[in-house]
mmCIF file of all heavy atoms in Angstrom:
data_model
loop_
_atom_site.group_PDB
_atom_site.id
_atom_site.type_symbol
_atom_site.label_atom_id
_atom_site.label_comp_id
_atom_site.label_asym_id
_atom_site.label_seq_id
_atom_site.Cartn_x
_atom_site.Cartn_y
_atom_site.Cartn_z
ATOM 1 N N PRO A 1 -55.184 -33.263 84.577
ATOM 2 C CA PRO A 1 -53.865 -32.746 84.964
ATOM 3 C C PRO A 1 -53.288 -33.443 86.235
ATOM 4 O O PRO A 1 -52.079 -33.742 86.274
ATOM 5 C CB PRO A 1 -54.128 -31.265 85.243
ATOM 6 C CG PRO A 1 -55.297 -30.942 84.349
ATOM 7 C CD PRO A 1 -56.138 -32.176 84.383
ATOM 8 N N LEU A 2 -54.131 -33.691 87.237
ATOM 9 C CA LEU A 2 -53.651 -34.288 88.470
ATOM 10 C C LEU A 2 -53.095 -35.673 88.213
ATOM 11 O O LEU A 2 -52.050 -36.080 88.755
ATOM 12 C CB LEU A 2 -54.777 -34.357 89.494
ATOM 13 C CG LEU A 2 -54.400 -35.003 90.847
ATOM 14 C CD1 LEU A 2 -53.245 -34.233 91.505
ATOM 15 C CD2 LEU A 2 -55.572 -35.066 91.777
ATOM 16 N N LYS A 3 -53.770 -36.471 87.350
ATOM 17 C CA LYS A 3 -53.287 -37.800 87.018
ATOM 18 C C LYS A 3 -51.963 -37.764 86.272
ATOM 19 O O LYS A 3 -51.100 -38.638 86.487
ATOM 20 C CB LYS A 3 -54.357 -38.546 86.226
ATOM 21 C CG LYS A 3 -55.584 -38.948 87.021
ATOM 22 C CD LYS A 3 -56.472 -39.877 86.235
ATOM 23 C CE LYS A 3 -57.667 -40.339 87.056
ATOM 24 N NZ LYS A 3 -58.539 -41.244 86.298
ATOM 25 N N ILE A 4 -51.772 -36.769 85.444
ATOM 26 C CA ILE A 4 -50.526 -36.606 84.728
ATOM 27 C C ILE A 4 -49.373 -36.374 85.712
ATOM 28 O O ILE A 4 -48.311 -36.986 85.614
ATOM 29 C CB ILE A 4 -50.594 -35.423 83.734
ATOM 30 C CG1 ILE A 4 -51.650 -35.695 82.663
ATOM 31 C CG2 ILE A 4 -49.250 -35.159 83.063
ATOM 32 C CD1 ILE A 4 -51.962 -34.532 81.722
ATOM 33 N N ILE A 5 -49.613 -35.486 86.666
ATOM 34 C CA ILE A 5 -48.577 -35.178 87.673
ATOM 35 C C ILE A 5 -48.290 -36.437 88.546
ATOM 36 O O ILE A 5 -47.123 -36.727 88.824
ATOM 37 C CB ILE A 5 -49.000 -33.993 88.547
ATOM 38 C CG1 ILE A 5 -49.228 -32.763 87.707
ATOM 39 C CG2 ILE A 5 -47.953 -33.731 89.620
ATOM 40 C CD1 ILE A 5 -47.999 -32.283 86.950
ATOM 41 N N GLN A 6 -49.348 -37.092 88.962
ATOM 42 C CA GLN A 6 -49.168 -38.270 89.788
ATOM 43 C C GLN A 6 -48.377 -39.356 89.067
ATOM 44 O O GLN A 6 -47.512 -40.025 89.627
ATOM 45 C CB GLN A 6 -50.517 -38.804 90.223
ATOM 46 C CG GLN A 6 -51.237 -37.951 91.272
ATOM 47 C CD GLN A 6 -52.605 -38.483 91.616
ATOM 48 O OE1 GLN A 6 -53.214 -39.175 90.805
ATOM 49 N NE2 GLN A 6 -53.084 -38.112 92.793
ATOM 50 N N LYS A 7 -48.651 -39.551 87.785
ATOM 51 C CA LYS A 7 -47.931 -40.523 86.968
ATOM 52 C C LYS A 7 -46.449 -40.161 86.919
ATOM 53 O O LYS A 7 -45.577 -41.028 87.044
ATOM 54 C CB LYS A 7 -48.536 -40.636 85.583
ATOM 55 C CG LYS A 7 -47.838 -41.710 84.715
ATOM 56 C CD LYS A 7 -48.487 -41.804 83.334
ATOM 57 C CE LYS A 7 -47.779 -42.837 82.501
ATOM 58 N NZ LYS A 7 -48.374 -42.973 81.141
ATOM 59 N N ALA A 8 -46.169 -38.881 86.710
ATOM 60 C CA ALA A 8 -44.771 -38.464 86.639
ATOM 61 C C ALA A 8 -44.068 -38.653 87.957
ATOM 62 O O ALA A 8 -42.897 -39.122 87.986
ATOM 63 C CB ALA A 8 -44.721 -36.960 86.251
ATOM 64 N N GLN A 9 -44.733 -38.363 89.053
ATOM 65 C CA GLN A 9 -44.157 -38.572 90.368
ATOM 66 C C GLN A 9 -43.831 -40.045 90.632
ATOM 67 O O GLN A 9 -42.789 -40.406 91.156
ATOM 68 C CB GLN A 9 -45.065 -38.016 91.472
ATOM 69 C CG GLN A 9 -45.131 -36.489 91.505
ATOM 70 C CD GLN A 9 -46.099 -36.013 92.551
ATOM 71 O OE1 GLN A 9 -47.080 -36.671 92.864
ATOM 72 N NE2 GLN A 9 -45.840 -34.861 93.095
ATOM 73 N N ASN A 10 -44.808 -40.911 90.328
ATOM 74 C CA ASN A 10 -44.629 -42.322 90.540
ATOM 75 C C ASN A 10 -43.477 -42.917 89.730
ATOM 76 O O ASN A 10 -42.686 -43.682 90.237
ATOM 77 C CB ASN A 10 -45.937 -43.072 90.249
ATOM 78 C CG ASN A 10 -47.042 -42.783 91.211
ATOM 79 O OD1 ASN A 10 -46.780 -42.388 92.354
ATOM 80 N ND2 ASN A 10 -48.277 -42.990 90.812
ATOM 81 N N GLU A 11 -43.388 -42.508 88.450
ATOM 82 C CA GLU A 11 -42.327 -42.974 87.605
ATOM 83 C C GLU A 11 -40.962 -42.514 88.125
ATOM 84 O O GLU A 11 -39.967 -43.218 88.113
ATOM 85 C CB GLU A 11 -42.531 -42.543 86.169
ATOM 86 C CG GLU A 11 -43.651 -43.267 85.444
ATOM 87 C CD GLU A 11 -43.671 -42.957 83.954
ATOM 88 O OE1 GLU A 11 -42.882 -42.094 83.526
ATOM 89 O OE2 GLU A 11 -44.525 -43.529 83.261
ATOM 90 N N TRP A 12 -40.935 -41.232 88.602
ATOM 91 C CA TRP A 12 -39.684 -40.679 89.115
ATOM 92 C C TRP A 12 -39.253 -41.405 90.357
ATOM 93 O O TRP A 12 -38.055 -41.716 90.535
ATOM 94 C CB TRP A 12 -39.889 -39.198 89.412
ATOM 95 C CG TRP A 12 -38.703 -38.555 90.121
ATOM 96 C CD1 TRP A 12 -37.528 -38.257 89.596
ATOM 97 C CD2 TRP A 12 -38.697 -38.193 91.510
ATOM 98 N NE1 TRP A 12 -36.692 -37.698 90.579
ATOM 99 C CE2 TRP A 12 -37.424 -37.628 91.749
ATOM 100 C CE3 TRP A 12 -39.632 -38.232 92.533
ATOM 101 C CZ2 TRP A 12 -37.052 -37.161 92.998
ATOM 102 C CZ3 TRP A 12 -39.260 -37.730 93.792
ATOM 103 C CH2 TRP A 12 -37.972 -37.210 94.002
ATOM 104 N N MET A 13 -40.183 -41.713 91.266
ATOM 105 C CA MET A 13 -39.842 -42.431 92.488
ATOM 106 C C MET A 13 -39.343 -43.825 92.192
ATOM 107 O O MET A 13 -38.398 -44.317 92.833
ATOM 108 C CB MET A 13 -41.051 -42.466 93.429
ATOM 109 C CG MET A 13 -41.420 -41.111 94.039
ATOM 110 S SD MET A 13 -42.922 -41.119 95.036
ATOM 111 C CE MET A 13 -42.406 -42.215 96.323
ATOM 112 N N GLU A 14 -39.973 -44.524 91.193
ATOM 113 C CA GLU A 14 -39.511 -45.850 90.845
ATOM 114 C C GLU A 14 -38.091 -45.820 90.250
ATOM 115 O O GLU A 14 -37.243 -46.635 90.568
ATOM 116 C CB GLU A 14 -40.491 -46.473 89.820
ATOM 117 C CG GLU A 14 -41.866 -46.827 90.439
ATOM 118 C CD GLU A 14 -42.809 -47.274 89.384
ATOM 119 O OE1 GLU A 14 -42.403 -47.379 88.182
ATOM 120 O OE2 GLU A 14 -43.970 -47.602 89.713
ATOM 121 N N TYR A 15 -37.855 -44.839 89.424
ATOM 122 C CA TYR A 15 -36.537 -44.672 88.804
ATOM 123 C C TYR A 15 -35.479 -44.371 89.869
ATOM 124 O O TYR A 15 -34.414 -44.962 89.900
ATOM 125 C CB TYR A 15 -36.546 -43.542 87.769
ATOM 126 C CG TYR A 15 -35.171 -43.047 87.351
ATOM 127 C CD1 TYR A 15 -34.412 -43.789 86.462
ATOM 128 C CD2 TYR A 15 -34.636 -41.863 87.874
ATOM 129 C CE1 TYR A 15 -33.137 -43.352 86.096
ATOM 130 C CE2 TYR A 15 -33.393 -41.444 87.554
ATOM 131 C CZ TYR A 15 -32.651 -42.149 86.645
ATOM 132 O OH TYR A 15 -31.414 -41.712 86.288
ATOM 133 N N LYS A 16 -35.828 -43.495 90.790
ATOM 134 C CA LYS A 16 -34.913 -43.046 91.869
ATOM 135 C C LYS A 16 -34.559 -44.238 92.800
ATOM 136 O O LYS A 16 -33.450 -44.411 93.210
ATOM 137 C CB LYS A 16 -35.505 -41.918 92.651
ATOM 138 C CG LYS A 16 -34.549 -41.295 93.649
ATOM 139 C CD LYS A 16 -35.195 -40.079 94.260
ATOM 140 C CE LYS A 16 -34.210 -39.416 95.196
ATOM 141 N NZ LYS A 16 -33.758 -40.320 96.258
ATOM 142 N N GLU A 17 -35.622 -45.030 93.112
ATOM 143 C CA GLU A 17 -35.387 -46.185 93.975
ATOM 144 C C GLU A 17 -34.424 -47.186 93.337
ATOM 145 O O GLU A 17 -33.510 -47.682 93.991
ATOM 146 C CB GLU A 17 -36.743 -46.884 94.267
ATOM 147 C CG GLU A 17 -36.587 -48.100 95.161
ATOM 148 C CD GLU A 17 -37.910 -48.818 95.360
ATOM 149 O OE1 GLU A 17 -38.946 -48.272 94.919
ATOM 150 O OE2 GLU A 17 -37.878 -49.898 95.929
ATOM 151 N N ALA A 18 -34.625 -47.456 92.067
ATOM 152 C CA ALA A 18 -33.734 -48.414 91.355
ATOM 153 C C ALA A 18 -32.321 -47.823 91.285
ATOM 154 O O ALA A 18 -31.343 -48.592 91.471
ATOM 155 C CB ALA A 18 -34.278 -48.668 89.936
ATOM 156 N N LYS A 19 -32.211 -46.547 91.061
ATOM 157 C CA LYS A 19 -30.898 -45.913 90.913
ATOM 158 C C LYS A 19 -30.103 -45.893 92.184
ATOM 159 O O LYS A 19 -28.891 -46.048 92.218
ATOM 160 C CB LYS A 19 -31.080 -44.467 90.426
ATOM 161 C CG LYS A 19 -29.807 -43.731 90.101
ATOM 162 C CD LYS A 19 -30.135 -42.387 89.498
ATOM 163 C CE LYS A 19 -28.880 -41.587 89.155
ATOM 164 N NZ LYS A 19 -28.142 -41.180 90.360
ATOM 165 N N ASP A 20 -30.845 -45.780 93.329
ATOM 166 C CA ASP A 20 -30.196 -45.690 94.630
ATOM 167 C C ASP A 20 -30.037 -47.036 95.367
ATOM 168 O O ASP A 20 -29.473 -47.065 96.435
ATOM 169 C CB ASP A 20 -30.962 -44.708 95.531
ATOM 170 C CG ASP A 20 -30.892 -43.308 95.011
ATOM 171 O OD1 ASP A 20 -30.037 -43.021 94.190
ATOM 172 O OD2 ASP A 20 -31.727 -42.480 95.483
ATOM 173 N N GLN A 21 -30.593 -48.092 94.792
ATOM 174 C CA GLN A 21 -30.629 -49.397 95.485
ATOM 175 C C GLN A 21 -29.217 -49.852 95.900
ATOM 176 O O GLN A 21 -29.008 -50.269 97.044
ATOM 177 C CB GLN A 21 -31.315 -50.439 94.641
ATOM 178 C CG GLN A 21 -31.464 -51.784 95.298
ATOM 179 C CD GLN A 21 -32.449 -51.718 96.439
ATOM 180 O OE1 GLN A 21 -33.352 -50.904 96.434
ATOM 181 N NE2 GLN A 21 -32.283 -52.572 97.427
ATOM 182 N N GLU A 22 -28.317 -49.768 94.965
ATOM 183 C CA GLU A 22 -26.950 -50.289 95.267
ATOM 184 C C GLU A 22 -26.305 -49.448 96.376
ATOM 185 O O GLU A 22 -25.677 -49.998 97.266
ATOM 186 C CB GLU A 22 -26.088 -50.199 94.000
ATOM 187 C CG GLU A 22 -24.696 -50.751 94.251
ATOM 188 C CD GLU A 22 -23.865 -50.779 92.981
ATOM 189 O OE1 GLU A 22 -24.444 -50.509 91.890
ATOM 190 O OE2 GLU A 22 -22.674 -51.013 93.055
ATOM 191 N N LYS A 23 -26.510 -48.155 96.351
ATOM 192 C CA LYS A 23 -25.931 -47.282 97.403
ATOM 193 C C LYS A 23 -26.527 -47.599 98.751
ATOM 194 O O LYS A 23 -25.823 -47.614 99.776
ATOM 195 C CB LYS A 23 -26.126 -45.812 97.007
ATOM 196 C CG LYS A 23 -25.534 -44.862 98.020
ATOM 197 C CD LYS A 23 -25.699 -43.427 97.546
ATOM 198 C CE LYS A 23 -25.084 -42.471 98.599
ATOM 199 N NZ LYS A 23 -25.237 -41.057 98.173
ATOM 200 N N ARG A 24 -27.843 -47.761 98.795
ATOM 201 C CA ARG A 24 -28.520 -48.042 100.079
ATOM 202 C C ARG A 24 -28.031 -49.368 100.663
ATOM 203 O O ARG A 24 -27.769 -49.470 101.839
ATOM 204 C CB ARG A 24 -30.037 -48.092 99.885
ATOM 205 C CG ARG A 24 -30.646 -46.728 99.590
ATOM 206 C CD ARG A 24 -32.163 -46.818 99.791
ATOM 207 N NE ARG A 24 -32.743 -47.824 98.968
ATOM 208 C CZ ARG A 24 -33.266 -47.584 97.737
ATOM 209 N NH1 ARG A 24 -33.211 -46.359 97.243
ATOM 210 N NH2 ARG A 24 -33.813 -48.552 97.061
ATOM 211 N N MET A 25 -27.920 -50.369 99.790
ATOM 212 C CA MET A 25 -27.538 -51.697 100.299
ATOM 213 C C MET A 25 -26.097 -51.671 100.818
ATOM 214 O O MET A 25 -25.781 -52.304 101.806
ATOM 215 C CB MET A 25 -27.674 -52.712 99.163
ATOM 216 C CG MET A 25 -29.123 -52.972 98.779
ATOM 217 S SD MET A 25 -30.176 -53.460 100.172
ATOM 218 C CE MET A 25 -29.395 -55.002 100.636
ATOM 219 N N SER A 26 -25.210 -50.938 100.159
ATOM 220 C CA SER A 26 -23.841 -50.871 100.614
ATOM 221 C C SER A 26 -23.751 -50.168 101.962
ATOM 222 O O SER A 26 -22.855 -50.437 102.765
ATOM 223 C CB SER A 26 -22.966 -50.133 99.588
ATOM 224 O OG SER A 26 -23.363 -48.776 99.473
ATOM 225 N N MET A 27 -24.693 -49.236 102.235
ATOM 226 C CA MET A 27 -24.678 -48.496 103.489
ATOM 227 C C MET A 27 -25.201 -49.351 104.628
ATOM 228 O O MET A 27 -24.768 -49.237 105.792
ATOM 229 C CB MET A 27 -25.535 -47.238 103.355
ATOM 230 C CG MET A 27 -25.628 -46.407 104.648
ATOM 231 S SD MET A 27 -26.579 -44.889 104.358
ATOM 232 C CE MET A 27 -28.228 -45.587 104.117
ATOM 233 N N LEU A 28 -26.165 -50.248 104.310
ATOM 234 C CA LEU A 28 -26.899 -50.943 105.408
ATOM 235 C C LEU A 28 -26.558 -52.430 105.483
ATOM 236 O O LEU A 28 -26.972 -53.124 106.420
ATOM 237 C CB LEU A 28 -28.421 -50.761 105.180
ATOM 238 C CG LEU A 28 -28.920 -49.340 105.267
ATOM 239 C CD1 LEU A 28 -30.367 -49.287 104.804
ATOM 240 C CD2 LEU A 28 -28.799 -48.792 106.660
ATOM 241 N N GLU A 29 -25.833 -52.953 104.522
ATOM 242 C CA GLU A 29 -25.602 -54.388 104.473
ATOM 243 C C GLU A 29 -24.709 -54.877 105.606
ATOM 244 O O GLU A 29 -23.934 -54.123 106.186
ATOM 245 C CB GLU A 29 -25.012 -54.800 103.123
ATOM 246 C CG GLU A 29 -23.611 -54.301 102.930
ATOM 247 C CD GLU A 29 -23.051 -54.652 101.565
ATOM 248 O OE1 GLU A 29 -23.771 -55.304 100.767
ATOM 249 O OE2 GLU A 29 -21.895 -54.306 101.289
ATOM 250 N N THR A 30 -24.826 -56.160 105.940
ATOM 251 C CA THR A 30 -23.985 -56.763 106.976
ATOM 252 C C THR A 30 -22.586 -56.999 106.446
ATOM 253 O O THR A 30 -22.426 -57.427 105.255
ATOM 254 C CB THR A 30 -24.609 -58.098 107.404
ATOM 255 O OG1 THR A 30 -25.941 -57.859 107.879
ATOM 256 C CG2 THR A 30 -23.773 -58.743 108.516
ATOM 257 N N PRO A 31 -21.509 -56.730 107.180
ATOM 258 C CA PRO A 31 -20.158 -56.940 106.674
ATOM 259 C C PRO A 31 -19.913 -58.391 106.325
ATOM 260 O O PRO A 31 -20.447 -59.336 106.941
ATOM 261 C CB PRO A 31 -19.290 -56.558 107.892
ATOM 262 C CG PRO A 31 -20.160 -55.666 108.710
ATOM 263 C CD PRO A 31 -21.573 -56.149 108.512
ATOM 264 N N ARG A 32 -19.057 -58.639 105.329
ATOM 265 C CA ARG A 32 -18.695 -59.997 104.936
ATOM 266 C C ARG A 32 -17.784 -60.617 105.959
ATOM 267 O O ARG A 32 -17.182 -59.919 106.756
ATOM 268 C CB ARG A 32 -18.013 -59.947 103.540
ATOM 269 C CG ARG A 32 -18.883 -59.413 102.430
ATOM 270 C CD ARG A 32 -18.182 -59.611 101.092
ATOM 271 N NE ARG A 32 -16.849 -59.097 101.102
ATOM 272 C CZ ARG A 32 -16.562 -57.867 100.712
ATOM 273 N NH1 ARG A 32 -17.532 -57.001 100.369
ATOM 274 N NH2 ARG A 32 -15.305 -57.415 100.711
ATOM 275 N N ALA A 33 -17.627 -61.926 105.892
ATOM 276 C CA ALA A 33 -16.834 -62.649 106.870
ATOM 277 C C ALA A 33 -15.378 -62.171 106.853
ATOM 278 O O ALA A 33 -14.728 -62.045 107.909
ATOM 279 C CB ALA A 33 -16.861 -64.163 106.607
ATOM 280 N N ASP A 34 -14.822 -61.857 105.667
ATOM 281 C CA ASP A 34 -13.430 -61.448 105.574
ATOM 282 C C ASP A 34 -13.229 -60.021 106.070
ATOM 283 O O ASP A 34 -12.085 -59.542 106.122
ATOM 284 C CB ASP A 34 -12.885 -61.568 104.134
ATOM 285 C CG ASP A 34 -13.702 -60.737 103.152
ATOM 286 O OD1 ASP A 34 -14.737 -60.142 103.564
ATOM 287 O OD2 ASP A 34 -13.290 -60.685 101.994
ATOM 288 N N GLU A 35 -14.313 -59.311 106.437
ATOM 289 C CA GLU A 35 -14.216 -57.965 106.957
ATOM 290 C C GLU A 35 -14.424 -57.907 108.454
ATOM 291 O O GLU A 35 -14.226 -56.848 109.106
ATOM 292 C CB GLU A 35 -15.265 -57.051 106.309
ATOM 293 C CG GLU A 35 -15.071 -56.872 104.794
ATOM 294 C CD GLU A 35 -16.216 -56.062 104.207
ATOM 295 O OE1 GLU A 35 -17.321 -56.058 104.808
ATOM 296 O OE2 GLU A 35 -16.031 -55.454 103.155
ATOM 297 N N LEU A 36 -14.814 -59.009 109.085
ATOM 298 C CA LEU A 36 -15.181 -59.037 110.491
ATOM 299 C C LEU A 36 -14.034 -58.594 111.386
ATOM 300 O O LEU A 36 -14.230 -57.871 112.364
ATOM 301 C CB LEU A 36 -15.704 -60.375 110.884
ATOM 302 C CG LEU A 36 -17.082 -60.781 110.297
ATOM 303 C CD1 LEU A 36 -17.468 -62.147 110.781
ATOM 304 C CD2 LEU A 36 -18.112 -59.739 110.685
ATOM 305 N N GLN A 37 -12.834 -59.070 111.075
ATOM 306 C CA GLN A 37 -11.725 -58.715 111.945
ATOM 307 C C GLN A 37 -11.489 -57.233 111.953
ATOM 308 O O GLN A 37 -11.230 -56.628 113.004
ATOM 309 C CB GLN A 37 -10.456 -59.460 111.507
ATOM 310 C CG GLN A 37 -9.242 -59.205 112.447
ATOM 311 C CD GLN A 37 -8.057 -60.053 112.093
ATOM 312 O OE1 GLN A 37 -8.134 -60.824 111.135
ATOM 313 N NE2 GLN A 37 -6.962 -59.889 112.815
ATOM 314 N N GLY A 38 -11.535 -56.644 110.804
ATOM 315 C CA GLY A 38 -11.336 -55.199 110.704
ATOM 316 C C GLY A 38 -12.477 -54.427 111.359
ATOM 317 O O GLY A 38 -12.316 -53.263 111.808
ATOM 318 N N GLN A 39 -13.655 -55.079 111.443
ATOM 319 C CA GLN A 39 -14.812 -54.394 112.026
ATOM 320 C C GLN A 39 -14.848 -54.423 113.528
ATOM 321 O O GLN A 39 -15.543 -53.642 114.133
ATOM 322 C CB GLN A 39 -16.109 -55.053 111.530
ATOM 323 C CG GLN A 39 -16.423 -54.747 110.062
ATOM 324 C CD GLN A 39 -16.982 -53.378 109.905
ATOM 325 O OE1 GLN A 39 -16.429 -52.402 110.425
ATOM 326 N NE2 GLN A 39 -18.021 -53.250 109.127
ATOM 327 N N ARG A 40 -14.021 -55.293 114.156
ATOM 328 C CA ARG A 40 -14.045 -55.413 115.600
ATOM 329 C C ARG A 40 -13.704 -54.118 116.267
ATOM 330 O O ARG A 40 -14.357 -53.685 117.228
ATOM 331 C CB ARG A 40 -13.090 -56.521 116.052
ATOM 332 C CG ARG A 40 -13.627 -57.924 115.786
ATOM 333 C CD ARG A 40 -12.592 -58.990 116.027
ATOM 334 N NE ARG A 40 -13.090 -60.286 115.610
ATOM 335 C CZ ARG A 40 -12.298 -61.323 115.358
ATOM 336 N NH1 ARG A 40 -11.015 -61.231 115.526
ATOM 337 N NH2 ARG A 40 -12.853 -62.498 115.018
ATOM 338 N N LYS A 41 -12.654 -53.430 115.759
ATOM 339 C CA LYS A 41 -12.291 -52.165 116.375
ATOM 340 C C LYS A 41 -13.364 -51.124 116.100
ATOM 341 O O LYS A 41 -13.702 -50.303 116.983
ATOM 342 C CB LYS A 41 -10.931 -51.678 115.810
ATOM 343 C CG LYS A 41 -10.455 -50.376 116.431
ATOM 344 C CD LYS A 41 -9.139 -49.944 115.866
ATOM 345 C CE LYS A 41 -8.640 -48.651 116.541
ATOM 346 N NZ LYS A 41 -9.606 -47.542 116.404
ATOM 347 N N GLU A 42 -13.932 -51.160 114.895
ATOM 348 C CA GLU A 42 -15.002 -50.229 114.543
ATOM 349 C C GLU A 42 -16.170 -50.415 115.460
ATOM 350 O O GLU A 42 -16.806 -49.484 115.903
ATOM 351 C CB GLU A 42 -15.396 -50.395 113.076
ATOM 352 C CG GLU A 42 -14.278 -49.977 112.110
ATOM 353 C CD GLU A 42 -14.746 -50.073 110.699
ATOM 354 O OE1 GLU A 42 -15.926 -50.415 110.446
ATOM 355 O OE2 GLU A 42 -13.948 -49.823 109.798
ATOM 356 N N ASP A 43 -16.539 -51.711 115.749
ATOM 357 C CA ASP A 43 -17.668 -51.998 116.603
ATOM 358 C C ASP A 43 -17.452 -51.404 117.999
ATOM 359 O O ASP A 43 -18.355 -50.921 118.623
ATOM 360 C CB ASP A 43 -17.897 -53.497 116.655
ATOM 361 C CG ASP A 43 -18.423 -54.085 115.354
ATOM 362 O OD1 ASP A 43 -18.861 -53.261 114.511
ATOM 363 O OD2 ASP A 43 -18.336 -55.295 115.178
ATOM 364 N N ALA A 44 -16.202 -51.487 118.444
ATOM 365 C CA ALA A 44 -15.914 -50.958 119.771
ATOM 366 C C ALA A 44 -16.068 -49.432 119.841
ATOM 367 O O ALA A 44 -16.332 -48.861 120.877
ATOM 368 C CB ALA A 44 -14.467 -51.343 120.151
ATOM 369 N N ASP A 45 -15.928 -48.791 118.680
ATOM 370 C CA ASP A 45 -16.047 -47.344 118.619
ATOM 371 C C ASP A 45 -17.472 -46.888 118.232
ATOM 372 O O ASP A 45 -17.742 -45.688 118.200
ATOM 373 C CB ASP A 45 -15.080 -46.772 117.582
ATOM 374 C CG ASP A 45 -13.621 -47.008 117.993
ATOM 375 O OD1 ASP A 45 -13.383 -47.061 119.217
ATOM 376 O OD2 ASP A 45 -12.758 -47.114 117.108
ATOM 377 N N THR A 46 -18.357 -47.832 117.980
ATOM 378 C CA THR A 46 -19.710 -47.478 117.530
ATOM 379 C C THR A 46 -20.527 -46.947 118.697
ATOM 380 O O THR A 46 -20.539 -47.531 119.762
ATOM 381 C CB THR A 46 -20.419 -48.709 116.921
ATOM 382 O OG1 THR A 46 -19.661 -49.134 115.792
ATOM 383 C CG2 THR A 46 -21.827 -48.326 116.490
ATOM 384 N N ILE A 47 -21.232 -45.862 118.423
ATOM 385 C CA ILE A 47 -22.162 -45.249 119.407
ATOM 386 C C ILE A 47 -23.558 -45.806 119.106
ATOM 387 O O ILE A 47 -24.036 -45.751 117.950
ATOM 388 C CB ILE A 47 -22.145 -43.729 119.317
ATOM 389 C CG1 ILE A 47 -20.706 -43.189 119.433
ATOM 390 C CG2 ILE A 47 -23.057 -43.147 120.381
ATOM 391 C CD1 ILE A 47 -20.022 -43.571 120.700
ATOM 392 N N HIS A 48 -24.237 -46.287 120.131
ATOM 393 C CA HIS A 48 -25.547 -46.884 120.002
ATOM 394 C C HIS A 48 -26.613 -45.860 120.487
ATOM 395 O O HIS A 48 -26.526 -45.363 121.624
ATOM 396 C CB HIS A 48 -25.664 -48.171 120.768
ATOM 397 C CG HIS A 48 -24.685 -49.200 120.301
ATOM 398 N ND1 HIS A 48 -24.954 -50.135 119.362
ATOM 399 C CD2 HIS A 48 -23.379 -49.407 120.674
ATOM 400 C CE1 HIS A 48 -23.889 -50.901 119.135
ATOM 401 N NE2 HIS A 48 -22.940 -50.505 119.922
#
């Protein structure tokens, strides 16, 4: 039974990771060159 549950958890985590990859990358990716000008004001407002 434990191996059955572990297999289900592992498959679920792999599926979830693939499903969320695009969302995570859009949240953390570096801005493109054509976005830099618009980001300057945002950078000035960013709290570190």
